[in-house]
């Protein structure tokens, strides 16, 4: 301080700026007046304490010396607020006016949410520990990981399809996604309950995988607002024995085994497409569906009924390799053409639905049918009860090749 102690006025200088402290007397006692000029106008501040007057003079002289005229014009309370604001921003290097503008702009988007809460939310979801990963790349890595874990080919293909649809929609990093984005994706799919829920399950698995890999924050909930739909299920439609006989009578030799495996063993189309004749011949009297070929990734043995044995033997003597040797698209094309030729409405899974319904009517044993079909007992009970009578079941499982072509079940391993 450039002033002589207890000699008034005390003069405080900073550069070319000068602030003076005067000592005055009032009836109530002594007070100290801090005085300085800005733009030709004199400003005065009164203090009862000399130390406070000196601190104020120091502060005003410093502001004047660096050209901080606006701050010097503030009153005591505003000056205190101004000083605190500058101190809070000191480490950031952000000017006070820029910080105020940014805060004001942010408040427009936050409604009643505090800026600190918004920043904490952003930090949780886009923090330093979250690595950036493109949606498509993350999907490929997940499918590869599932393959290494031994997931079935059916499951891998299902993931490849569903995550492919999702990746095509979002060509960005996972951390850029919001719950609104994902909700909009589901709204645009326009799916029925079952397909909707299948997509939901696939994305739940995908997002958990991304969180485990550090591509999404643990607190991230991209499926917020997307609720599982109640699947009431459509009516199960089955073929009557006459329709099945018509299909087989009009079928070509290469498609007959596939039709018979669906109708009399309940195999799914995807299982038939992966089935080899060695799976049929390996265990006499049974078809072995390996875990890698089953939809549920669970191995099961399906009994070969007498009439199925006859159809397989007649249609495929000296068989080897795959049961269906052509492509998947050709498989469904031939089925469609056959249904049209036989004037039958052949819905997806109609053969499998028919098998389960007639098998349940024949055996009256939900658990055994569930094991053979690779379904849960609950699913069998809910969808397949009382769709056929025992008499109809006997007719269904008596559908066989013409008598002149019959092969005994014993020759195929059935006792």
């Amino acid at each position: 301080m450039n002033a002589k102690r207890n000699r008034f006025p005390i003069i405080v200088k900073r550069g070319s700026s000068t602030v003076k402290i005067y000592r005055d007397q009032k009836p109530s006692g002594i007070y100290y007046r801090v005085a300085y000029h800005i733009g030709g106008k004199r400003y005065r501040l009164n203090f009862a304490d000399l130390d406070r007057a000196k601190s104020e003079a120091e502060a005003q002289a410093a502001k004047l010396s660096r050209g901080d005229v606006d701050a010097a014009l503030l009153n005591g309370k505003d000056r205190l607020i101004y000083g605190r604001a500058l101190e809070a921003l000191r480490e950031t290097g952000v000017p006070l006016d820029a910080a105020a503008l940014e805060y004001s702009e942010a408040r427009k988007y936050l409604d009643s949410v505090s800026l600190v809460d918004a920043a904490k939310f952003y930090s949780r979801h886009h923090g330093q520990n979250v690595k950036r990963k493109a949606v498509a790349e993350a999907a490929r890595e997940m499918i590869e990981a599932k393959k290494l874990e031994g997931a079935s080919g059916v499951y891998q293909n299902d993931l490849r399809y569903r995550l492919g649809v999702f990746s095509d929609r979002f060509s960005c990093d996972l951390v850029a996604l919001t719950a609104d984005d994902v909700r909009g994706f589901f709204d645009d799919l326009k799916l029925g309950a079952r397909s909707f829920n299948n997509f939901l399950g696939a994305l739940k698995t995908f997002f958990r995988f991304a969180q485990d890999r550090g591509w999404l924050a643990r607190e991230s909930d991209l499926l917020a607002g997307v609720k599982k739909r109640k699947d009431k299920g459509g009516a199960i439609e089955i073929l009557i024995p006459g329709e099945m006989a018509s299909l087989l009578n009009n079928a070509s030799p290469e498609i007959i085994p596939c039709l018979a495996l669906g109708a009399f063993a309940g195999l799914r189309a995807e299982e038939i497409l992966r089935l080899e004749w060695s799976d049929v011949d390996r265990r006499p009297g049974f078809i072995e569906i390996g875990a890698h070929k089953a939809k549920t990734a669970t191995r099961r043995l399906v009994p070969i009924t007498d009439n199925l044995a006859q159809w397989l033997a007649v249609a495929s003597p000296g068989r080897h390799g795959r049961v269906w040797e052509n492509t998947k698209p050709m498989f469904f094309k031939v089925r469609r053409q056959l249904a049209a030729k036989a004037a039958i409405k052949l819905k997806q899974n109609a053969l499998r639905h028919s098998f389960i319904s007639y098998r349940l009517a024949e055996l009256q044993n939900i658990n055994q049918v569930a094991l053979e079909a690779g379904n849960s007992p609950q699913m069998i009970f809910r969808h397949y009860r009382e769709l056929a009578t025992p008499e109809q079941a006997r007719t269904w499982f008596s559908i066989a090749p013409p008598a002149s072509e019959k092969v005994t079940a014993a020759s195929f391993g059935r006792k």
Side-chain angles (χ1 to χ4, degrees):
M1 183 177 294
N2 189 16
K4 293 183 179 179
R5 189 172 183 80
N6 297 328
R7 292 285 300 274
F8 294 94
I10 298 174
I11 299 175
V12 179
K13 290 183 65 66
R14 288 291 182 273
S16 60
S17 300
T18 300
V19 177
K20 295 182 180 181
I21 303 175
Y22 295 91
R23 183 175 183 275
D24 287 321
Q25 181 78 38
K26 284 185 177 182
S28 58
I30 297 172
Y31 69 95
Y32 303 92
R33 184 171 70 255
V34 176
Y36 52 93
H37 290 79
I38 298 177
K41 184 177 180 180
R42 190 182 189 196
Y43 293 87
R44 292 175 292 184
L45 300 171
N46 297 328
F47 298 90
D49 180 77
L50 179 58
D51 288 336
R52 289 189 60 193
K54 289 179 179 179
S55 296
E56 182 64 23
E58 292 275 4
Q60 294 296 342
K63 293 172 185 177
L64 291 172
S65 68
R66 62 176 181 259
D68 198 355
V69 175
D70 290 339
L73 293 175
L74 296 174
N75 60 32
K77 181 179 180 181
D78 289 340
R79 191 163 53 254
L80 179 62
I81 295 172
Y82 178 83
R84 288 175 177 171
L86 286 179
E87 184 63 28
L89 289 170
R90 191 180 304 281
E91 293 183 1
T92 69
V94 178
L96 181 58
D97 58 341
L101 287 171
E102 185 173 329
Y103 176 82
S104 177
E105 188 68 19
R107 290 291 297 176
K108 295 177 183 178
Y109 296 95
L110 294 174
D111 195 15
S112 59
V113 179
S114 77
L115 189 58
V116 173
D117 288 341
K120 288 179 179 179
F121 177 86
Y122 182 88
S123 178
R124 286 196 302 269
H125 290 76
H126 305 274
Q128 295 179 350
N129 294 329
V130 177
K131 296 170 285 189
R132 306 191 75 85
K133 176 70 73 170
V135 173
E137 187 178 351
R140 285 193 297 271
E141 291 195 24
M142 175 180 166
I143 293 169
E144 184 61 28
K146 293 299 180 183
K147 180 179 179 180
L148 294 175
E149 291 173 4
S152 70
V154 176
Y155 181 59
Q156 292 178 49
N157 289 334
D158 185 74
L159 283 178
R160 194 171 288 109
Y161 162 67
R162 299 185 195 283
L163 297 185
V165 173
F166 189 74
S167 300
D168 289 343
R169 173 71 175 268
F170 299 107
S171 55
C172 61
D173 290 336
L174 278 163
V175 294
L177 294 175
T178 66
D180 284 341
D181 292 331
V182 179
R183 184 164 53 248
F185 168 78
F186 276 97
D187 290 342
D188 293 342
L189 285 177
K190 308 298 182 186
L191 296 174
R194 179 168 298 182
S195 295
F196 181 96
N197 293 337
N198 288 339
F199 257 102
L200 180 59
L203 287 181
K204 279 183 179 179
T205 303
F206 179 49
F207 293 149
R208 282 198 299 268
F209 179 83
Q211 288 173 328
D212 291 341
R213 296 299 176 94
W215 304 331
L216 279 177
R218 288 290 179 185
E219 298 81 359
S220 176
D221 185 9
L222 293 177
L223 291 171
V226 181
K227 304 300 182 184
K228 185 176 180 180
R229 292 180 179 175
K230 187 174 182 180
D231 182 10
K232 298 179 180 178
I236 298 295
E237 295 188 13
I238 64 175
L239 300 179
I240 61 175
E243 291 174 326
M244 188 64 219
S246 179
L247 277 177
L248 290 166
N249 290 334
N250 284 281
S252 59
E254 62 267 24
I255 195 68
I256 284 178
C258 302
L259 297 174
L261 287 165
F264 307 126
L267 270 61
R268 301 175 176 91
E270 293 289 345
E271 293 171 341
I272 294 171
L273 290 171
R274 287 189 294 273
L275 195 70
E276 297 184 15
W277 284 113
S278 59
D279 299 322
V280 179
D281 297 331
R282 184 177 299 112
R283 295 179 179 275
F286 293 90
I287 301 167
E288 182 178 350
I289 310 297
H292 62 292
K293 297 180 180 181
K295 177 183 178 181
T296 57
T298 303
R299 175 182 172 274
R300 74 181 191 275
L301 295 176
V302 183
I304 298 174
T305 59
D306 289 337
N307 68 327
L308 175 58
Q310 295 172 37
W311 283 110
L312 295 178
V314 168
S316 306
R319 54 189 177 262
H320 63 276
R322 287 187 178 272
V323 172
W324 177 254
E325 296 180 341
N326 213 315
T327 63
K328 179 177 179 179
M330 183 57 70
F331 174 77
F332 289 106
K333 180 180 179 180
V334 170
R335 289 205 339 165
R336 287 194 300 271
Q337 292 174 340
L338 174 60
K341 181 180 178 181
I344 292 173
K345 186 178 180 181
L346 187 61
K347 283 199 168 186
Q348 185 178 5
N349 296 322
L351 299 180
R352 174 174 166 81
H353 291 328
S354 299
F355 166 78
I356 297 175
S357 301
Y358 290 119
R359 188 67 166 163
L360 184 59
E362 177 188 43
L363 299 179
Q364 297 293 308
N365 188 324
I366 288 176
N367 290 325
Q368 182 174 339
V369 175
L371 284 174
E372 294 178 3
N375 263 353
S376 68
Q378 293 81 4
M379 181 69 72
I380 301 295
F381 181 84
R382 185 181 306 125
H383 295 291
Y384 296 99
R385 282 187 312 137
E386 301 175 354
L387 294 182
T389 66
E391 183 179 354
Q392 290 171 325
R394 284 192 294 273
T395 303
W396 180 265
F397 289 109
S398 68
I399 299 172
S404 61
E405 299 179 356
K406 274 194 176 182
V407 177
T408 63
S411 67
F412 201 69
R414 281 291 285 177
K415 301 296 187 181

